[in-house]
Amino acid sequence: MKKILVTGGCGYIGSHTIVDLVQNGYEVISVDNNSRSSINILNGVEKIIGKKVKNYTVDLCNFDDTFAIFQENEDITGIIHFAAYKAVGESVENPLMYFDNNLNSLINILRCAEEFHVPHVVFSSSCTVYGNPDEIPVTENTAFKPAESPYGSTKQMGEDIVKQTINSYPDMNAILLRYFNPVGAHPSGFIGEIPLGRPANLVPGITQTAIGKLPQMQVYGTDYPTKDGSCLRDYIHVSDIAHAHTLALDYLIEGRNETSCDVFNLGTGNGYTVLEVIRMFEKVSGQALNYVLADRRPGDVIAIYANNDKAKTLLHWDPQYDLEAMMQTAWDWEKKQNSITN
């Protein structure tokens, strides 16, 4: 059984990916310092997969502690690197924290991958690398525009770090997965998104407002050049994102890759505005959402959605969830969490 190290394994996408990997025959080791996640999410993971998950509570910015994980697990076949700070607004307020955490953790992981001859790396990138593109949908060949936030800059730099590292080590291969906007929760209801503090992302902001955790939510920007003035994004269910990582590892391990470092967009190919997402949630939940229209937020891209033909063709990836299902699973997860705490 091939052993995969998942960094940020207690996080939103990381936990869903652990489930998908195990269900597709992989052995998984998790590492997470839990600065932006809860180790308790592994309880939900273990309920779904029916086994314990080996987890290290380690800060990957500490090289010695990171190195020790590889020393204890010298038969690692691949690494999926999720661990990173991801809040656009926070990165604008504290850019040095983002550069320090997101880049140093990646460098330490790659140093260990080279030292211990780990052949396969999958890097968690983002559609923020495209900045405000001149044309949409974006393809993997769309030129980068300046990043709109330090978070986006760390993903642009991270991709470059991975590419140049892989070019220097012919026995290593990598895939860069550019996510669009992951939403929703596992259909079992055992795992989902757990924001720490006030949510920075749209959908948990919607569900927490609807359940009463937040008194009101804000829609940032009403004058963008979109169909209703709010930002437009490509929302993709987290379980579809998770499965793409399993397929990416399959692709590398089976030797189907034609280049040592390849890149794939992970989106549905459909663009929805913030207000359209709210209306879909209102349809699913049967209740009106309490929100107000506010000024633009620094760091937000105007509009972006994916061309996902490459992932469909080469990875054989086929997203299964539409926007209604995304909102339904997110709402079911929020209601379940609320019933547990109350």
Side-chain angles (χ1 to χ4, degrees), residues 133-148:
D134 292 328
E135 295 182 354
I136 49 177
V138 294
T139 73
E140 289 81 359
N141 294 321
T142 296
F144 289 1
K145 301 294 287 293
E148 291 294 307

Side-chain angles (χ1 to χ4, degrees), residues 132-200:
N132 270 308
D134 292 328
E135 295 182 354
I136 49 177
V138 294
T139 73
E140 289 81 359
N141 294 321
T142 296
F144 289 1
K145 301 294 287 293
E148 291 294 307
S149 67
Y151 166 72
S153 293
T154 67
K155 291 303 182 183
Q156 289 180 340
M157 294 176 192
E159 285 199 9
D160 202 39
I161 289 168
V162 174
K163 289 176 187 175
Q164 295 197 45
T165 300
I166 297 302
N167 287 340
S168 298
Y169 299 105
D171 294 333
M172 291 176 65
N173 296 275
I175 284 181
L176 315 172
L177 294 179
R178 294 173 182 162
Y179 317 151
F180 282 67
N181 287 68
V183 297
H186 194 272
S188 68
F190 288 128
I191 57 174
E193 189 167 7
I194 306 178
L196 299 181
R198 191 178 184 93

Side-chain angles (χ1 to χ4, degrees), residues 12 182-185 191-219 235 237 274 277-291 323-339 341-342:
Y12 179 39
V183 297
I191 57 174
E193 189 167 7
I194 306 178
L196 299 181
R198 191 178 184 93
N201 295 332
L202 174 63
V203 174
I206 289 174
T207 60
Q208 288 196 10
T209 300
I211 207 74
K213 292 179 182 177
L214 298 175
Q216 189 179 65
M217 71 166 288
Q218 293 180 310
V219 174
Y235 296 91
H237 195 277
V274 170
V277 174
I278 288 175
R279 286 194 289 272
M280 179 59 77
F281 175 80
E282 290 176 330
K283 174 186 174 182
V284 164
S285 66
Q287 63 184 81
L289 190 72
N290 184 19
Y291 68 91
L323 184 63
E324 184 171 355
M326 297 178 210
M327 295 300 103
Q328 186 66 64
T329 58
W331 183 226
D332 290 345
W333 164 251
E334 187 67 65
K335 289 187 292 184
K336 184 170 184 177
Q337 292 300 107
N338 190 61
S339 67
T341 56
N342 291 333

